[in-house]
Amino acid sequence: MDKPYTKPLAQLTLLFPDVDPEVIVGILQAQGGNLDCSCNVLMEMSDPAYKPTTKEVQHQQGIDQGAALAWQLAESKLLCAHQQRPQRPMYPHSKWL
């Protein structure tokens, strides 16, 4: 367990004693250590009647859009790097080149 998650883990374990601490750590990591967001995720998991607020939904949608944009950027950089790589002849020792 990472030290930055020690305090939030202790707090969330008190709030959600039935949830495995490893699950809580995974949620903390997925939420970037954000205690409020992690608590919301745990409430959604623990209480089937829980309904997130509009603000929480918008926040999660913003995170999802940011992640999608980061993924697209990473893919485009890989594609550019691949396209800029010098092309080698298929048969470098052929006398016909």
Side-chain angles (χ1 to χ4, degrees):
M1 173 181 54
D2 296 339
K3 289 193 185 260
Y5 299 124
T6 303
K7 186 176 178 182
L9 175 62
Q11 293 171 331
L12 291 172
T13 303
L14 287 173
L15 290 170
F16 303 95
D18 296 334
V19 179
D20 187 325
E22 289 183 21
V23 171
I24 295 174
V25 169
I27 291 169
L28 279 165
Q29 289 173 338
Q31 299 300 320
N34 185 304
L35 184 62
D36 291 334
C37 291
S38 298
C39 188
N40 289 335
V41 170
L42 288 162
M43 286 190 328
E44 289 175 22
M45 290 173 52
S46 302
D47 181 9
Y50 173 77
K51 301 286 184 209
T53 65
T54 304
K55 185 177 179 181
E56 292 168 351
V57 171
Q58 290 171 344
H59 177 73
Q60 186 60 45
Q61 289 172 341
I63 290 172
D64 293 344
Q65 290 173 350
L69 182 59
W71 186 259
Q72 289 174 347
L73 181 61
E75 284 182 330
S76 69
K77 283 187 176 187
L78 285 173
L79 181 61
C80 287
H82 178 72
Q83 290 174 344
Q84 292 176 355
R85 187 175 62 184
Q87 297 295 319
R88 296 184 188 140
M90 189 177 258
Y91 304 103
H93 302 296
S94 173
K95 63 182 179 179
W96 302 103
L97 295 177

